[in-house]
Amino acid sequence: MTKPYNETVLGAIVASALTQSRKLGLVAKNAFAEFDTAALLQNASFRFRTIEDVETLAPVVSAYFPDPRKTIFGLRELMLNAVEHGNLGITYAEKSKLVLAGTWATEVHRRLRLPENEQKFASLAIEIRGSELAVTIRDQGRGFQWSDYLDFSPSRAADPNCRGIAMSRAVAFPSMMYSGNGNEVICYAPRIRRSAVHSSS
């Protein structure tokens, strides 16, 4: 953040970061328990639609990647983006207000219950592509101008949200590509070999 900054915004950003750090610390422990299955993976696909689905699925999928702790973060951010922005249509401006008011999760749950959203879901597929693992996340939304959010923008530095995509690219998936109108993203990472799995234990 740049000075001068708004104390309310700063508080919201710090609170969100602390909450996320605690959650990721817990799910990372569970992710390591799945490591021995990583070399057995061929292809897998999942559907998800709620925040709870994201929190359940992210650690399971991250266990198949070389660095689960970093991958959990990236997967979680991209999956939440598919739910909130993609399927539920929560805009950037709307999320900023919701985060500052502390009502983001409440609004997500409210929109999930709306008739027009009850049948919407997002999908996640894992594929082996040579020496890499590819994760494809797709939602049923209208898409968005994804190119605006791949990098950190000074103009949004004081906003309480919308760092997820840039952080996912910087920390978890250096190779990450959106396609079409932005409702599909493909992320790549090196594939874990069985010898590497056992040598790390």
Side-chain angles (χ1 to χ4, degrees), residues 20-163:
Q20 179 169 277
S21 178
R22 284 192 292 268
K23 286 182 178 180
L24 295 184
L26 290 173
V27 296
K29 293 180 180 178
N30 295 330
F32 285 117
E34 303 293 333
F35 244 30
D36 282 340
T37 67
L40 306 178
L41 176 73
Q42 292 302 307
N43 299 304
S45 60
F46 306 87
R47 284 185 176 184
F48 61 96
R49 66 178 301 272
T50 68
I51 297 174
E52 292 74 21
D53 290 343
V54 172
E55 301 294 358
T56 298
L57 187 56
V60 173
V61 175
S62 69
Y64 295 111
F65 286 81
D67 192 335
R69 293 179 188 276
K70 291 182 179 179
T71 307
I72 285 173
F73 173 82
L75 284 175
R76 182 177 179 276
E77 290 297 320
L78 296 175
M79 292 167 69
L80 284 175
N81 187 69
V83 172
E84 61 179 357
H85 297 306
N87 287 349
L88 303 183
I90 296 176
T91 66
Y92 177 92
E94 287 174 332
K95 184 171 181 179
S96 293
K97 293 179 181 179
L98 292 168
V99 170
L100 289 174
T103 57
W104 170 77
T106 300
E107 178 63 11
V108 169
H109 286 112
R110 185 190 74 81
R111 294 199 188 195
L112 284 168
R113 294 192 297 271
L114 295 176
E116 62 267 30
N117 295 327
E118 286 183 338
Q119 301 302 315
K120 288 183 181 178
F121 61 88
S123 63
L124 183 152
I126 315 173
E127 300 174 81
I128 294 175
R129 299 185 179 180
S131 62
E132 293 183 312
L133 282 177
V135 171
T136 302
I137 298 171
R138 183 182 296 112
D139 63 64
Q140 295 179 306
R142 297 179 179 178
F144 70 111
Q145 190 57 44
W146 51 269
S147 59
D148 292 343
Y149 302 98
L150 290 176
D151 299 299
F152 298 100
S153 171
S155 65
R156 296 192 298 269
D159 293 350
N161 60 294
C162 227
R163 295 173 182 81

